[in-house]
Amino acid sequence: KRLYDYRITEINSTSIINDCLDLLDRWHETNTKVLCCKELSIERPIIEETLYNLNILSLKSLALYVKDTLVGFCVGEIHGSTA
């Protein structure tokens, strides 16, 4: 039995990419006391560029939605027979 109404999908559309970037921005807003804003401001454009170029970079991705709200995402590469 599922405890949450969730779905897992690839990051394969502009809509999902925008959800990922919105989640990243919300995370940044709530964690500015923990991490330095300078580093996060440098990382954000690189994360955005990566998300828009997943196929070109041969990367794999997942987005996790709970009740149609994105709660997490990840990006990785194939290494041998594992991702």
Side-chain angles (χ1 to χ4, degrees):
K1 180 180 174 182
R2 286 184 175 182
L3 298 177
Y4 297 99
D5 178 19
Y6 73 92
R7 67 184 166 93
I8 299 172
T9 185
E10 281 187 73
I11 301 171
N12 57 9
S13 71
T14 301
S15 174
I16 298 173
I17 291 171
N18 288 335
D19 287 348
C20 292
L21 296 173
D22 288 345
L23 177 63
L24 184 62
D25 292 340
R26 287 193 314 274
W27 186 88
H28 178 219
E29 289 172 9
T30 59
N31 289 286
T32 54
K33 293 180 182 178
V34 177
L35 298 169
C36 180
C37 291
K38 182 179 179 184
E39 282 81 2
L40 288 173
S41 65
I42 292 169
E43 284 182 351
R44 201 226 188 251
I46 302 305
I47 293 169
E48 182 174 0
E49 184 176 348
T50 300
L51 291 173
Y52 278 107
N53 291 290
L54 292 169
N55 290 333
I56 293 169
L57 298 169
S58 299
L59 297 173
K60 300 295 181 187
S61 63
L62 293 175
L64 172 62
Y65 287 85
V66 173
K67 295 184 179 179
D68 295 322
T69 300
L70 183 72
V71 296
F73 67 94
C74 63
V75 174
E77 64 181 328
I78 298 292
H79 181 72
S81 61
T82 64

